[in-house]
Amino acid sequence: MKNVGVIGGGTMGAGIAEVVARAGSTVRVLERAEAVDAARERIAKSLARAVKAGKLAEDESTATLDRITVTTDLESFADCELVVEAMPEIESLKLEYFHKLDDIVSKDAILATNTSSIPVIRLANATRHPERVLGMHFFNPVPVMALVEIVTTLKVDPAVVTKVADFARDGLGKRTIESKDQSGFIVNALLVPYLTNAIRMYESGFASAEDIDEGMVSGCGHPMGPLRLSDTVGLDICLAVAESLYAEFGQAHYAPPVLLRRMVDAGYLGRKTGRGFYDYSK
C-alpha cells in the first residue's frame, strides 16, 4: 500500500503514521488547523528518540518524515489505498468521517478504524461499502508495541481482511491477531477489567498505587503495574472501553469505577496530560 491516510494526529494517529512511513509508504495525516504543527512535531520527536536509541539511522528518520504530510484537506485522501481512522473515542465523530470518506476514496480503498471499543459494524454501516471496513487496532506506543488486532465484522470481505493482515505483518513488521466485532475485542476485553479492578482497590484505600503496581510487577512478572499502565493507555480510553464493555454485556464487574470517571472529568488522563495516578509533570 503506497498511499495511506491517517485521520487524526494525536498519540495513536502520529504513531500509526510513523510506522507506516518507516515502512516506505507515503502518508497523509488529517488534523485540525491549530494542531497541524503539534502533530508533525509529535512524529519528529518520536523519530528522534528512535535515532538516539540506535534503532533508526539519521537518514532514515529524515526520509520517513519527508514521506509524511499533515494536512487539513480531507479531499487529498482521494488516492489513498488504506485510510486508518485514529480519532478520539467519540462515535458520532467517527461516523461523520467514515461517511465523508465514503464519498472521497475509490471504491477499492480500504477503511479501517483504530477504535478501542466501538463496534466496527456501526462505522461500516455509515458507508455504502461496509464490506471494505474493518478494525485495525494498534497499541500504544505504536512504534514499540508489536501487535495489531484485526477486527472483522459480519459484512467485511475476507479478501480485505487478508490484505490488511498481510500489510500489517509483511509491510509494517507487526504481529497480528484476528478478533470478532465484540466490545473490547480480545486485548481490551481482558485488560480493562483488570485495570478497573486495580483502580477499585486503590479507590477503596486497600493499598497504595505504588504497592498495587509493585505487587503485579515483582509478584506476577508484569512489565508494568496496572495503575501505571492505565496512565500509559490513557484514563479516558480506559473509561471509554469500560463503558462500552458494560453497555455490551451489562455485568457489574465491567462498570467503570467512580474514581476513574472523576479523574477523567478533572482532565487527569495519565501520561499525555502529565497527571494520572502518578505525576509526570517533571
Side-chain angles (χ1 to χ4, degrees):
M1 298 189 188
K2 299 300 182 184
N3 294 306
V4 177
V6 178
I7 308 297
T11 300
M12 293 303 296
I16 294 167
E18 178 186 334
V19 298
V20 173
R22 283 176 67 168
S25 299
T26 298
V27 183
R28 293 183 189 86
V29 180
L30 185 79
E31 254 301 354
R32 295 166 292 119
E34 63 271 23
V36 166
D37 291 342
R40 189 168 178 84
E41 183 179 354
R42 192 172 288 118
I43 298 166
K45 285 183 176 179
S46 178
L47 289 168
R49 286 194 295 270
V51 171
K52 186 176 181 180
K55 297 178 179 179
L56 189 68
E58 186 71 48
D59 60 339
E60 292 175 332
S61 172
T62 301
T64 297
L65 200 56
D66 287 344
R67 285 192 286 268
I68 299 172
T69 301
V70 185
T71 179
T72 61
D73 181 16
L74 189 62
E75 296 288 339
S76 69
F77 284 57
D79 64 345
C80 288
E81 300 159 74
L82 168 69
V83 180
V84 183
E85 171 274 313
M87 294 186 294
E89 288 289 277
I90 302 171
E91 185 171 341
S92 60
L93 183 62
K94 294 177 186 286
L95 287 170
E96 176 188 348
Y97 276 88
F98 271 86
H99 181 70
K100 288 179 178 178
L101 283 165
D102 198 42
D103 291 327
I104 292 172
V105 300
S106 74
K107 63 181 179 63
D108 297 321
I110 297 170
L111 303 181
T113 176
N114 184 57
T115 181
S116 300
S117 58
I118 297 169
V120 177
I121 192 62
R122 295 181 190 168
L123 306 180
N125 283 340
T127 75
R128 293 188 299 272
H129 300 284
E131 69 278 0
R132 65 167 173 188
V133 181
L134 78 172
M136 195 176 186
H137 184 211
F138 292 82
F139 293 82
N140 185 34
V142 179
V144 176
M145 300 298 284
L147 187 68
V148 175
E149 272 184 316
I150 308 297
V151 184
T152 64
T153 73
L154 294 173
K155 293 183 176 180
V156 70
D157 184 341
V160 169
V161 177
T162 299
K163 187 173 183 178
V164 170
D166 287 348
F167 176 64
R169 285 193 301 265
D170 302 333
L172 306 183
K174 299 292 188 181
R175 297 177 183 174
T176 64
I177 56 176
E178 186 175 315
S179 170
K180 300 297 185 184
D181 188 17
Q182 178 177 291
S183 182
F185 316 130
I186 294 173
V187 174
N188 281 333
L190 294 171
L191 174 64
V192 171
Y194 160 65
L195 300 182
T196 54
N197 279 336
I199 294 170
R200 287 190 188 91
M201 180 178 284
Y202 173 69
E203 181 181 41
S204 72
F206 181 81
S208 68
E210 291 80 5
D211 284 349
I212 291 169
D213 281 350
E214 186 64 27
M216 297 309 294
V217 171
S218 298
C220 294
H222 290 200
M224 186 183 297
L227 299 179
R228 195 170 291 280
L229 179 56
S230 297
D231 281 353
T232 301
V233 170
L235 300 190
D236 53 334
I237 302 300
C238 293
L239 176 59
V241 176
E243 288 177 331
S244 178
L245 288 167
Y246 184 59
E248 182 106 311
F249 301 112
Q251 297 176 19
H253 70 278
Y254 285 127
V258 172
L259 177 60
L260 177 59
R261 293 186 184 278
R262 293 295 85 81
M263 292 179 73
V264 172
D265 290 341
Y268 299 158
L269 307 184
R271 285 186 178 275
K272 59 188 173 185
T273 60
R275 183 170 176 181
F277 290 102
Y278 296 90
D279 184 355
Y280 304 94
S281 59
K282 297 180 181 180

